[in-house]
Amino acid sequence: MQNSDSVISDVIVIGAGGCGLMAALAAAKNGAQVLLLEKTEKAGGGTAFSSRGIRAAGSRCQRQAKIADNPELYAQDILRRNSNESDAALTKQLTATSGRVADFLTDAAGVEFHLGEFPFGHSAQRSHSWKEDKTITDFLFEAVEREKNIQVRFSTAVLSLSQEASGAVTGVVTEDGVLTGRKVILASGGFGASPELLSQYIPKAVDIPFPGHPGSTGDGIKMGLAAGAATENMGAFQPYPAYIGPGKRAVSPEVALSGGIMVDLAGTRFVDETKYPGGLGIKMLDLPGKQAYEIFDERIYQLHRNITGLRNLASFFDSGLLKKAQTPEELAGRLGINAAGLKQTIQDYNRAASGGKDAFGRTLAESFSAPLYGIKVAVALYHTQGGLKVNPEGQVMRLDGSIIPNLYAGGGVATGVSGKGLEGYLPGNGLLASLGLGMRAAEHAVESLKAA
């Protein structure tokens, strides 16, 4: 096959989601000539479906707000959540990069962050969000379009990697021919939309909804495997426990944090709901239909009735999805679950709220009072968490621990920092690995080019 382009790019990035856009922008800002390839017709990828916020430690925004936090503390939070199952060096590299990622997004992409409260395992206030009605990929792509060192090609699927006999990657193969690049960064997303790979690695997730990007078909993982890469934690995924289809809608996790509970068809609780999302999602996978019912009261409804986006409770109520009743028995009837069970569950909840902890060890601060609300939710596959094994610089590794020369991976293509199980996900882990590995891989690639 002939070269389709006589120009040799310094860096070829495959995929225009969060990781790919960050990699392209970071490489270009460091002086590289970048070719960004996207198989669909627009940028965004799976990152466009993520929440509008990132987690970062040691950012300028934190320092200005005098928040006591640091990358080491952030790494400890991640490793505590995943029971030390993620690679410690990679985890520490990503948390050390997280503050720079936030600052880079402000300086290069114009994101004006403000700090919000969103604990769920984080021991410091490190949730960085923004007011604009944009995704992080909107900001990044606008910055990419302004960057003269980046050429973007949409509707360009990469079929395979081009390699020398030694295994060193020299570019990519497309339908139009070979595109030569000194460094290649795989950033084409996970495999949540690939029945083939799900059947092979996560059979439990084959029949649950995947509200992510349809382009997440594991292309980069397949290319890496063909090039001799090792994989890691391929059975790990985020089972999100509050999905409401269609429309990629979900109940905000803040409802559970504020005191909401989950019950099954018998009207009984089955888990500490603050084990969100992994611990709760795992339990739901074993329920009939992989569904549960989220229950809360008027206080919680008022707290979250008008939050922004597709998660505000008022929209669920207006559409008839959220049911309201004065008694547990009435609510159970409207939801189609056991009335006696729900009545007993709420009595037990209120009793525990007056005494401290419940049977699951959860601290309940305030009892339920009428009216009560309930909504049926399902567990969904939000994203896969395993992928190609990479070192802290994002370089792709072989089974023997050696590096595949010139090849990098990040985002859903690479193994993340949530470990090998389903409970290791700490909110923000996905974007941490996506944006952090995108930045670090690009920086290392350009550094090695300059040193050559």
Side-chain angles (χ1 to χ4, degrees):
M1 185 175 286
Q2 297 298 312
N3 283 9
S4 65
D5 197 325
S6 60
V7 176
I8 300 175
S9 301
D10 293 324
V11 178
I12 295 177
V13 179
I14 305 173
C19 180
L21 292 170
M22 172 62 82
L25 196 57
K29 292 292 185 184
N30 280 282
Q33 294 295 321
V34 180
L35 176 60
L36 175 59
L37 305 176
E38 168 58 43
K39 71 176 182 180
T40 69
E41 296 177 352
K42 64 179 182 178
T47 308
F49 295 86
S50 63
S51 60
R52 297 185 180 183
I54 65 169
R55 307 303 186 278
S59 69
R60 187 186 311 141
C61 188
Q62 274 188 321
R63 292 194 299 273
Q64 291 171 347
K66 295 182 169 44
I67 300 297
D69 192 17
N70 58 68
E72 292 76 20
L73 182 61
Y74 190 2
Q76 290 171 18
D77 287 344
I78 292 174
L79 293 167
R80 185 183 306 111
R81 173 59 69 90
N82 67 36
S83 301
N84 294 298
E85 289 181 346
S86 65
D87 181 87
L90 176 62
T91 302
K92 291 174 181 177
Q93 173 74 282
L94 290 175
T95 57
T97 305
S98 66
R100 291 199 301 112
V101 165
D103 294 346
F104 181 86
L105 287 168
T106 296
D107 296 339
V111 185
E112 295 183 11
F113 287 113
H114 63 86
L115 297 175
E117 290 286 352
F118 193 93
F120 279 117
H122 288 273
S123 58
Q125 191 176 354
R126 59 175 72 106
S127 176
H128 293 58
S129 56
W130 53 91
K131 295 179 180 179
E132 293 94 331
D133 186 21
K134 291 182 178 181
T135 67
I136 198 68
T137 51
D138 290 332
F139 286 106
L140 282 168
F141 186 61
E142 288 170 3
V144 163
E145 288 188 302
R146 295 190 295 267
E147 180 55 58
K148 60 180 176 58
N149 286 347
I150 302 175
Q151 178 189 162
V152 183
R153 295 187 188 179
F154 291 111
S155 301
T156 304
V158 176
L159 306 178
S160 64
L161 298 172
S162 176
Q163 291 179 276
E164 295 177 339
S166 65
V169 173
T170 58
V172 301
V173 180
T174 71
E175 290 182 348
D176 295 325
V178 178
L179 301 175
T180 302
R182 295 184 175 93
K183 304 290 178 180
V184 174
I185 300 175
L186 297 170
S188 54
F191 58 97
S194 170
E196 171 199 352
L197 292 179
L198 287 178
S199 296
Q200 181 177 354
Y201 295 110
I202 319 177
K204 219 172 190 180
V206 170
D207 59 347
I208 64 175
F210 174 63
H213 194 274
S216 298
T217 52
D219 300 347
I221 293 174
K222 293 175 184 177
M223 282 184 256
L225 286 170
T231 58
E232 191 173 54
N233 301 332
M234 290 294 284
F237 71 102
Q238 185 191 348
Y240 192 83
Y243 173 72
I244 300 171
K248 299 181 173 65
R249 304 171 75 187
V251 176
S252 169
E254 297 287 356
V255 171
L257 185 65
S258 301
I261 59 173
M262 292 280 201
V263 302
D264 56 20
L265 277 168
T268 58
R269 291 174 64 201
F270 52 90
V271 70
D272 172 359
E273 295 82 4
T274 62
K275 292 184 177 297
Y276 204 103
L280 179 50
I282 289 171
K283 295 293 185 182
M284 285 180 63
L285 285 170
D286 294 326
L287 296 179
K290 299 178 175 59
Q291 297 176 335
Y293 303 82
E294 192 153 7
I295 309 296
F296 47 94
D297 68 354
E298 182 70 21
R299 175 186 68 85
I300 297 172
Y301 176 75
Q302 292 300 332
L303 279 174
H304 306 295
R305 66 184 305 271
N306 288 321
I307 61 174
T308 58
L310 294 174
R311 296 181 173 188
N312 75 80
L313 296 178
S315 69
F316 291 135
F317 184 76
D318 292 341
S319 65
L321 295 168
L322 179 62
K323 310 299 182 182
K324 178 180 180 180
Q326 293 300 314
T327 67
E329 296 93 328
E330 182 188 1
L331 182 61
R334 295 188 175 182
L335 292 172
I337 63 178
N338 185 276
L342 184 60
K343 179 181 179 181
Q344 186 63 54
T345 293
I346 291 178
Q347 287 177 348
D348 293 343
Y349 179 97
N350 288 344
R351 190 178 304 113
S354 63
K357 291 184 181 290
D358 64 11
F360 298 96
R362 178 182 176 183
T363 300
L364 303 174
E366 195 167 338
S367 60
F368 281 163
S369 58
L372 300 171
Y373 295 83
I375 187 168
K376 183 168 71 173
V377 294
V379 64
L381 165 59
Y382 260 42
H383 54 76
T384 53
Q385 294 172 169
L388 304 182
K389 186 172 177 59
V390 296
N391 67 11
E393 312 303 334
Q395 294 175 288
V396 177
M397 303 174 68
R398 300 187 179 98
L399 285 169
D400 63 5
S402 63
I403 301 300
I404 298 178
N406 305 327
L407 185 62
Y408 298 79
V413 178
T415 187
V417 291
S418 295
K420 61 185 179 182
L422 306 187
E423 295 190 57
Y425 176 82
L426 183 68
N429 276 7
L431 283 178
L432 175 71
S434 176
L435 301 176
L437 274 173
M439 170 178 276
R440 189 59 206 133
E443 291 174 340
H444 188 273
V446 177
E447 289 165 5
S448 62
L449 286 173
K450 291 179 177 177

